[in-house]
């Protein structure tokens, strides 16, 4: 576009920059719509805020996760203060420090687990949907079997048998269990895409199957895959936090679920430590909450019928 | 229709077979041996330990080769014999499981079905009424964004601890015996309410969000626009949208059931309320592998049975399945 | 049709709400004592010969010859008429009371006592080891029993007197050998679950509770007094925080859980809560928490190193941070309660330890543990890297916090030590098979009538099997010490020689430090004044408020006799 080349002074003002960004985005209609959908904007802003909080938070605390930051016993209950913005636990740990470190770990778990689950689900869904026939029957049969299994019990059993659990172990474990849902969703998308003209064309040009799957099918469901990933990210986090509450969390390191479990175990709410009982969970909730908004908004963007025009 | 039925049945049988096999394998993979760990508490002489060990191994069906144990496991299973608990020795696992299933039926069945029905209603309303959508849905997003256990803890804190309306935990209080008396029923209901309520609220959020999206799809769809252009009343369109939107919700129920039941584990733990999920969790903690097997298997059986039921219902309410499969026949 | 379910729903909710609010159900429990913390899995066994019968089986249902008040350190003749006597060096004489009778009306005689002991001679029972030094048990008449020994283990015998319940011969003689230890109750042989002689009998057991019912015509009513609660309901509990919620709702009379926030609850008059002591440590000590070193490992096999570690740990910080002052730091000897009689001042003066990181550093330097590689961590004298882990079960939050603190303190003096949390089953397996560096444990240091059990627990000589279940998990080997402990066991109380041997034992333990006594884990007891009063406290030392298995005859039954209902 012409205005990009001319040295329009407006482009250096913040408004001008935004304008340029939007004009660029306009070329990609979907992205433009995404960034103007209020739900998406709200979701992304809130999620970014939580993410930033997790990333920067550790730089604003002088304490370690398990470092004694003051006296926290009920007699001298330390409510949030300037020095300890989120107060102290009964044992004298700084809740802010634990929350930000825990949040970091939990976000990492979500990404790793979400990626694994999305990846497995994507591969199985693509192959099943594209190949059809016996392959489809077999893969979907398998998927359905796993889908009906209650996940948490499987995770409990497996987690209990791991002699040693790190944060990444947990993520991989959960990711390996929660993929079936993705496979099913991707398969049905693939089925509807594979009969489209450009796929047929690609097939006639004797392109290899993996290439068709990646370039012609997966690439065209990118937005869909992204939404699936978000769901799996949330799923991983919820499953891990549940496990952590049951005492099957990482035996090493910290995570938000462990921080919450510790609060529950110590009867934080009963004993009046609302900051300890509520705040860590609140951040987890806000993060998931923002992603629900993001997903609903994206749903509206990518399914034109839903656009509130 | 028979073909649809047959295909589903095969899947169910395979699932069951895999479940049983995993179930049998799992305890045998753990490092350590259940009998040895049980006997760690034994302080007596070696000869006495030896005698105890032999006796316990026979009673637990742990002697013989692995293949033989596997076959025995199936044979016993088909006779309804799930073995004996290690920790609650010599109680039978089937009895323990039965004691817990009652509570699952009492809490989960009404919580899931009511939340599904009410959730669909509210979701449909939100789908076409912007005000409801704006004010109620964020609340529901909040419900589903909280981990079950955290939500449960807050419910306990507010309704049981602070307001004191309900007891904090357990199926019935101290000093009360199960009996068909008004007193017991009241005590039971008071204890039952919060676990039910928690599961209900979480489910409510989930189903209404799903239904809201479905209804928006439907109302904005081509057939709805077509109906509208024909001058059909909004109510008619709404009815069509609801009916079409409910179908995926039925499938959703089938898919989600296992997850809901397992999510209930943490709620049961918070309320110290009996149920298969909690039984399983305790069995893991206490290394009671036979109870673990029995509870896990029953949980899967329960989910499979409910799925099967939903499949049948689906067959009747979805005309497409009825048509496509009857044409083929 | 459509509004049908709505109506139903509304009606149902309305019913639930009116029911729950219209009636304030104050459960019919004025005559029930509700306790928690004793049972952690559904109750299933009431056989006193089983190795883990339900709490109350011994003490409430089956009775030993003596009770032992663990707080006062005194023996109470129970089935016995008076204190037993060593009428000769190797003959112990017990006279039974005239009153005791079994729940089925038969008289409890000297023959039952003989049967109880001879059963272990004939079959392999948990107390069969007694026959290593027991020679013969004879009934002189219906009331008098004599125990003849080869070489009497005087100390151990003191524990036997209150630990072994007397069982009815006319019933147990019917049970076939292979079922003796595994059978869960007597219904098959006697038509009722329990045929004991105690003040309570089996009433009901569901997966979430165990109910004992008072025997109204108990033989002891005139002799010992009548217990007030008609029912004792022991609730099976899953987690301490759940119990905390129930305690705050005034649902529990006696909680023997480790409740977080005990000081703030106890000191808040709104909750009607009593604890044994009004202030810290609130609870009576129950056992000593020890830090065991795996003495088969490089570095940890060095007594100088172990001693240095003992100077580097500050138990006061653990007491404050992990326990809110509900425990007290341990004496260097690890002894408490009645055992203190044998505490050697000289041994402690000479070889005792106290928190002093400077001394710890000096000792490490002297022994050659210096940082030779310059990475900030001390190395072995030969230059090898030194790093250890301290293990505790995952989820035992007080212990988790404690080892975090210990690791921190050891890291402060340059020792690369990290906490390690593993699931309990793995922890237990590692502990019994000596597959660890350091760990915290208290399973073999519980209160008893003789310090012998403590010394045997920290330095047992049963360490040569694959599993060491009798304590001394670090497999510390010292023939001299083993001999002293055995020698002490064979000495009657009050002899000057016994004190000398006790001093030798304490000196060796302090010098070699195979394990460090850290703090006294409490007999957690939070008592509610809502339904019952006259609880045992420091001002009213009438018993021991502890409903754990094996503790009922250590003062808890006395508590029952003194309890008074609140009208």
């Amino acid at each position: 576009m012409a205005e990009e080349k001319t040295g329009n002074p407006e482009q250096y003002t913040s408004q001008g920059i935004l304008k340029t960004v939007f004009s660029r985005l306009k070329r990609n209609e979907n992205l433009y719509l995404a960034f103007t959908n209020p739900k998406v904007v709200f979701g992304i802003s809130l999620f970014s805020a939580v993410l930033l909080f997790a990333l920067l938070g550790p730089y604003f605390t002088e304490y370690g996760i398990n470092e004694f930051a003051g006296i926290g016993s009920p007699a001298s209950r330390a409510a949030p203060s300037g020095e300890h913005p989120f107060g102290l636990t009964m044992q004298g740990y700084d809740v802010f420090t634990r929350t930000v470190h825990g949040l970091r770990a939990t976000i990492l778990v979500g990404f790793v687990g979400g990626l694994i689950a999305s990846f497995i689900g994507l591969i199985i869904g693509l192959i099943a949907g594209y190949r059809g026939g016996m392959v489809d029957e077999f893969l979907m049969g398998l998927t359905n079997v796993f889908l009906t299994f209650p996940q948490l019990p499987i995770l409990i059993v497996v987690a209990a048998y791991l002699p040693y659990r790190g944060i990444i172990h947990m993520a991989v474990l959960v990711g390996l269990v929660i993929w079936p849902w993705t496979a099913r969703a991707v398969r049905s998308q693939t089925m509807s895409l594979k009969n489209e003209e450009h796929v047929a064309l690609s097939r006639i040009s004797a392109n290899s199957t993996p290439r068709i799957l990646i370039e012609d099918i997966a690439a065209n469901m990118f937005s869909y895959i992204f939404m699936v990933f978000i769901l799996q990210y949330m799923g991983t986090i919820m499953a891990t936090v549940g496990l952590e509450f049951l005492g099957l969390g990482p035996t090493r390191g910290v995570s938000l679920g462990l921080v919450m479990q510790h609060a529950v175990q110590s009867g934080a709410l009963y004993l009046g430590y609302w900051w300890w009982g509520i705040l860590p969970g609140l951040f987890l909730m806000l993060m998931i909450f923002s992603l629900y908004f993001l997903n609903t908004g994206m749903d509206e963007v990518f399914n034109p019928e839903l656009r509130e025009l | 229709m028979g073909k649809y039925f047959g295909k589903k049945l095969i899947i169910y049988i395979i699932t069951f077979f895999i479940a049983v096999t995993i179930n049998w394998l799992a305890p045998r993979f753990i490092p350590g041996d259940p009998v040895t760990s049980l006997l760690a508490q034994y302080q007596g002489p070696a000869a006495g330990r030896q005698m105890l060990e032999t006796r316990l191994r026979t009673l637990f069906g742990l002697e013989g080769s692995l293949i033989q144990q596997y076959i025995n496991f199936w044979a016993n299973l088909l006779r309804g014999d799930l073995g004996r608990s290690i920790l609650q020795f010599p109680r039978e696992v089937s009895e323990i499981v039965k004691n817990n299933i009652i509570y699952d039926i009492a809490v989960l069945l009404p919580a899931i079905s009511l939340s599904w029905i009410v959730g669909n209603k509210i979701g449909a309303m939100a789908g076409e009424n912007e005000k409801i959508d704006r004010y109620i849905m964020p609340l529901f997003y909040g419900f589903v964004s909280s981990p079950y256990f955290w939500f449960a803890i807050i419910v306990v804190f507010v309704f049981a601890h602070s307001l004191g309306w309900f007891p904090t935990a357990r199926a019935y209080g101290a000093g009360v015996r199960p009996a068909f008396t008004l007193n017991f029923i009241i005590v039971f209901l008071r204890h039952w309410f919060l676990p039910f309520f928690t599961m209900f609220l979480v489910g409510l959020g989930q189903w209404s969000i799903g239904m809201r999206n479905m209804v928006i799809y439907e109302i904005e769809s081509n057939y709805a626009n077509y109906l509208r252009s024909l001058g059909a009343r909004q109510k008619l369109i709404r009815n069509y949208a609801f009916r079409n939107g409910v179908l995926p919700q039925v499938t959703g129920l089938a898919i989600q059931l296992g997850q809901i039941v397992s999510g209930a584990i943490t709620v049961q733990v918070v309320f110290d309320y009996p149920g298969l999920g909690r039984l399983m969790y305790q069995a893991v903690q206490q290394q009671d592998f036979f109870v673990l097997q029995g509870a896990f298997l029953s949980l899967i059986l329960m989910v499979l049975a409910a799925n099967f039921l939903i499949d049948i219902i689906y067959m009747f309410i979805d005309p497409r399945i009825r048509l496509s499969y009857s044409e083929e026949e | 049709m459509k509004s049908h379910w709505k109506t139903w729903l509304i009606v149902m909710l309305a019913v639930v709400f009116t029911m729950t609010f219209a009636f304030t159900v104050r459960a019919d429990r004025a005559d029930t004592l509700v306790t928690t913390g004793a049972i952690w899995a559904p109750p299933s066994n009431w056989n006193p010969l089983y190795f883990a019968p339900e709490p109350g089986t011994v003490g409430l249902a089956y009775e030993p010859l003596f009770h032992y008040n663990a707080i006062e350190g005194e023996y109470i003749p129970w089935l016995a008429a008076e204190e037993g006597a060593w009428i000769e060096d190797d003959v112990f004489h017990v006279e039974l009371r005239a009153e005791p009778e079994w729940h089925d009306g038969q008289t409890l005689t000297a023959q039952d006592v003989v049967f109880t002991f001879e059963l272990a001679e004939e079959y392999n029972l948990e107390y069969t080891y007694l026959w290593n030094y027991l020679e013969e048990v004879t009934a002189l008449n219906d009331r008098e029993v004599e125990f003849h020994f080869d070489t009497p283990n005087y100390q151990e015998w003191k524990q036997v007197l209150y630990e072994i319940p007397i069982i009815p011969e006319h019933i147990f003689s019917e049970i076939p050998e292979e079922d003796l230890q595994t059978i869960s109750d007597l219904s098959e042989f006697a038509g009722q679950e329990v045929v004991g002689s105690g003040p309570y009998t089996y009433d009901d057991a569901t997966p979430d509770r165990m109910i004992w019912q008072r025997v109204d015509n108990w033989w002891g009513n005139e002799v010992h007094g009548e217990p007030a609660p008609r029912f004792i309901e022991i609730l099976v509990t899953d987690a301490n925080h759940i119990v905390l919620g129930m305690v705050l709702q005034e649902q529990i009379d006696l909680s023997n859980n480790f409740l977080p926030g005990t000081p703030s609850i106890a000191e808040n008059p709104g909750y009607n809560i009593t604890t044994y002591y009004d202030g810290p440590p609130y609870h009576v000590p129950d056992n000593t928490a020890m830090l065991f070193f795996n003495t088969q490992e490089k570095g940890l096999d060095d007594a100088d190193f172990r001693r240095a570690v003992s100077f580097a740990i500050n138990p006061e910080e653990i007491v404050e941070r992990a326990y809110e002052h509900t425990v007290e730091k341990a004496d260097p000897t690890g002894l408490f309660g009645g055992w203190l009689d044998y505490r050697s001042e000289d041994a402690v003066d000479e070889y005792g330890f106290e928190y002093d990181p400077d001394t710890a550093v000096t000792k490490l330097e002297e022994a050659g543990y210096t940082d030779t590689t310059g990475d900030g961590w001390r190395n072995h004298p030969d230059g090898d890297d030194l790093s250890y882990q301290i293990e505790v079960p995952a989820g035992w939050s007080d212990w988790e916090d404690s080892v975090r603190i210990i690791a921190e303190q050891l890291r402060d003096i340059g020792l690369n030590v990290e906490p390690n949390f593993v699931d309990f089953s793995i922890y237990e397996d590692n502990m019994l098979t000596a597959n660890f560096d350091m760990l915290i444990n208290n399973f073999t240091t519980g209160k008893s009538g003789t310090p012998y059990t403590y010394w045997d627990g920290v330095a047992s000589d049963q360490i040569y099997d694959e599993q060491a279940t009798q304590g001394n998990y670090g497999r510390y080997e010292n023939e001299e010490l083993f001999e002293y402990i055995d020698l002490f066991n064979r000495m009657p109380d009050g002899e000057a020689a016994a004190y000398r041997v006790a001093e030798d034992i304490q000196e060796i333990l302090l010098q070699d430090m195979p394990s460090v006594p850290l703090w006294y884990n409490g007999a957690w007891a939070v008592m509610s004044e809502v339904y019952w009063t006259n609880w045992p406290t420091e001002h009213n030392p009438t018993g021991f408020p502890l409903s754990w298995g094996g503790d009922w005859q250590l003062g808890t039954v006395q508590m029952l006799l003194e309890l008074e209902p609140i009208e």
Side-chain angles (χ1 to χ4, degrees), chain B residues 47-66:
Chain B
R49 171 191 296 268
Q50 192 57 47
M51 200 175 74
L52 259 177
E53 193 175 330
T54 325
R55 182 91 180 122
L56 290 173
R57 272 188 207 287
T58 324
L59 288 167
F60 290 140
L62 280 176
E63 80 285 31
S65 71
L66 279 183

Side-chain angles (χ1 to χ4, degrees), chain A residues 39 137 140-142 144-154 156-157 160-161 163 181 184 238 241-243 245-248 257 260-261 264 269-271 277-282 284-286 288-290 292-293 296 299-300 303 305-308, chain B residues 7 11-12 14-15 18-19 22 26-27 30-31 130 133 138 141-142 144-147 149-150 153-154 156-157 161 168 209 212-213 216-217 220-221 251 254-256 258-259 262-263 265-266 269-270 280-281 284-285 289 292 296 299-300 303-304 307:
Chain A
K39 290 198 176 88
E137 291 276 336
M140 277 305 112
L142 190 77
N144 282 334
V145 168
F146 275 101
L147 203 57
T148 31
F149 274 20
Q151 289 161 358
L152 196 56
I154 296 185
I156 290 176
V157 173
Y161 295 158
W181 176 88
R184 224 167 122 131
M238 291 303 228
V241 167
L243 274 180
F245 168 69
L246 294 175
L248 293 165
M260 292 162 78
Q261 185 229 15
V264 172
L269 284 179
Y270 289 137
L271 298 172
I278 299 279
L279 291 178
L282 195 66
L284 182 71
M285 201 194 94
L286 281 180
I288 306 286
F289 187 70
S290 71
Y292 266 110
F293 264 88
T296 314
D299 212 14
E300 283 168 9
N303 294 294
E305 297 99 21
L306 296 182
R307 269 175 221 156
E308 298 158 303
Chain B
K7 200 175 140 188
I11 291 184
Y12 281 117
I14 294 175
T15 313
I18 295 181
I22 291 182
I30 347 126
E130 200 138 312
D133 196 28
Y141 279 127
V144 292
S145 304
S146 332
F149 77 89
W150 193 65
I153 294 267
I154 291 178
V156 176
F157 180 68
H161 180 73
T168 52
I209 289 169
R212 169 198 173 271
N213 294 348
I216 291 179
Y217 272 117
E220 306 291 334
S221 69
T251 336
I255 294 178
Q256 285 291 313
Q259 295 355 305
S262 53
I265 296 179
T266 54
V269 168
V270 169
M280 229 200 71
Y281 161 66
V284 167
Q285 280 201 317
F289 304 110
L292 176 63
F296 190 60
L299 205 64
I300 287 176
V303 171
L304 285 183
N307 259 296

Side-chain angles (χ1 to χ4, degrees), chain A residues 216-227:
Chain A
D216 299 306
I217 296 183
N220 276 299
M221 335 191 298
F222 185 74
S223 60
Y224 192 76
I225 294 172
F226 184 63
M227 285 164 63

